[in-house]
């Protein structure tokens, strides 16, 4: 060792020792932290339905390339279309009653100027007009809500991407009473992936953002992929 060599002596029972020498050098000590996780797209969106109904048609399947706003499924709109027609009729009726109330209010105003109507009767006529106007606003809101429900029977893609999961078939019933059911999962860009790995408490102290990392996947056991630590949380 004084001359910069390391000497290893190996000997078996009853045999003469063998000597091996090696040059002493300097190198880096690498600490490796190993963890497992799931490989996912960097951005993926779960597409659900805000209304209930039977699925009438599906226009996207696994691996389908979709664009933002593209129609990917339809629910049967019959129930919501009927509600829309009823809301339109209720609004038309409310507007007709408001028109009549305006005529009565105008007539009451002229009679009041000539002193031919009591103050209380005039006030009642004006209050009825305001009530009819309020009813029209409520009917307009109901109509707008019915129109939104009809539009929601058309399931549109919210992003450009690739369908990586389809969880419904034609004819199935979607129940959106408590939570939006998950119909599709769309990945925005499959060329950008991320791994969320659970690191043990003993090792997480040695991990910092920006460190190089390598990983393997079961689908390609002989290949090693490279990446970087983007976040520790």
């Amino acid at each position: 060792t004084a001359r910069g060599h390391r000497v290893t002596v190996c000997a078996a029972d009853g045999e003469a020792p063998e000597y091996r020498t090696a040059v002493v050098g300097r190198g880096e000590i690498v600490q490796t932290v190993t963890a497992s996780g799931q490989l996912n797209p960097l951005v993926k969106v779960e597409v659900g339905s805000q209304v209930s109904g039977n699925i009438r048609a599906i226009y996207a399947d696994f691996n389908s390339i979709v664009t933002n706003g593209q129609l990917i499924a339809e629910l049967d709109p019959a129930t919501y279309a009927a509600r829309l027609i009823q809301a339109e009729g209720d609004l038309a009726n409310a507007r007709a009653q408001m028109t009549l109330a305006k005529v009565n209010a105008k007539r009451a105003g002229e009679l009041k100027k000539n002193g031919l109507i009591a103050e209380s009767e005039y006030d009642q006529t004006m209050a009825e007009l305001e009530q009819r106007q309020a009813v029209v606003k409520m009917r307009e809101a109901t109509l707008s809500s019915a129109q939104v429900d009809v539009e929601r029977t058309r399931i549109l893609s919210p992003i450009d991407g690739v369908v990586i999961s389809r969880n419904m078939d034609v004819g199935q019933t979607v129940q959106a009473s408590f939570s939006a059911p998950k119909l599709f999962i769309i990945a925005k860009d499959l060329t950008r992936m991320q791994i969320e790995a659970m690191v043990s408490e003993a090792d997480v102290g040695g991990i910092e953002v920006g460190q190089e990392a390598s990983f393997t996947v079961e689908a390609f056991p002989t290949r090693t992929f490279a990446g970087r630590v983007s976040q520790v949380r």
Side-chain angles (χ1 to χ4, degrees), residues 169-186:
D169 291 316
V170 174
Q172 283 189 261
T173 301
V174 176
Q175 295 291 343
S177 302
F178 303 102
S179 61
K182 183 169 60 178
L183 305 181
F184 299 89
I185 298 179
I186 300 176

Side-chain angles (χ1 to χ4, degrees), residues 1-232:
T1 58
R3 295 181 179 179
H5 292 72
R6 179 181 62 202
V7 179
T8 303
V9 180
C10 302
D13 295 338
E15 296 182 359
E18 297 181 0
Y19 297 91
R20 299 177 183 175
T21 62
V23 177
V24 177
R26 291 182 177 272
E28 296 181 353
I29 298 177
V30 179
Q31 179 182 2
T32 303
V33 175
T34 303
S36 60
Q38 187 174 4
L39 186 64
N40 289 315
L42 192 62
V43 177
K44 65 177 180 180
V45 179
E46 296 181 356
V47 181
S49 173
Q50 294 178 283
V51 295
S52 302
N54 294 329
I55 297 180
R56 185 173 69 175
I58 293 178
Y59 304 109
D61 206 342
F62 295 94
N63 302 323
S64 296
I65 298 175
V66 295
T67 58
N68 187 6
Q70 178 179 335
L71 180 65
I72 56 178
E74 278 186 299
L75 274 64
D76 187 0
T79 300
Y80 302 100
R83 292 177 184 175
L84 177 60
I85 295 173
Q86 181 178 355
E88 291 173 344
D90 291 341
L91 177 59
N93 183 43
R95 285 176 174 171
Q97 292 180 356
M98 184 183 67
T99 300
L100 179 59
K102 286 181 178 180
V103 172
N104 292 335
K106 182 178 180 181
R107 183 182 298 113
E110 294 175 353
L111 293 175
K112 181 184 177 183
K113 289 179 181 180
N114 298 322
L116 299 176
I117 189 174
E119 186 73 23
S120 60
E121 187 175 351
Y122 173 77
D123 293 340
Q124 183 178 356
T125 303
M126 298 305 296
E128 183 178 356
L129 174 60
E130 292 180 358
Q131 182 181 9
R132 296 304 179 186
Q133 291 173 337
V135 171
V136 168
K137 289 184 178 180
M138 290 189 295
R139 295 293 182 262
E140 288 176 345
T142 302
L143 176 61
S144 178
S145 178
Q147 290 172 337
V148 170
D149 286 341
V150 170
E151 187 63 27
R152 283 175 175 171
T153 61
R154 294 165 49 86
I155 309 300
L156 308 179
S157 173
I159 60 172
D160 297 339
V162 179
V163 177
I164 60 175
S165 177
R166 177 177 62 79
N167 303 316
M168 292 288 181
D169 291 316
V170 174
Q172 283 189 261
T173 301
V174 176
Q175 295 291 343
S177 302
F178 303 102
S179 61
K182 183 169 60 178
L183 305 181
F184 299 89
I185 298 179
I186 300 176
K188 185 175 183 180
D189 185 2
L190 291 178
T191 63
R192 301 184 64 192
M193 308 291 284
Q194 66 179 3
I195 299 175
E196 294 183 3
M198 299 296 294
V199 180
S200 66
E201 186 177 353
D203 295 329
V204 74
I207 296 180
E208 297 178 356
V209 174
Q211 287 179 332
E212 294 183 357
S214 61
F215 66 95
T216 59
V217 294
E218 294 181 356
F220 304 99
T222 61
R223 296 180 60 182
T224 301
F225 302 89
R228 287 187 179 275
V229 178
S230 62
Q231 191 179 60
V232 180

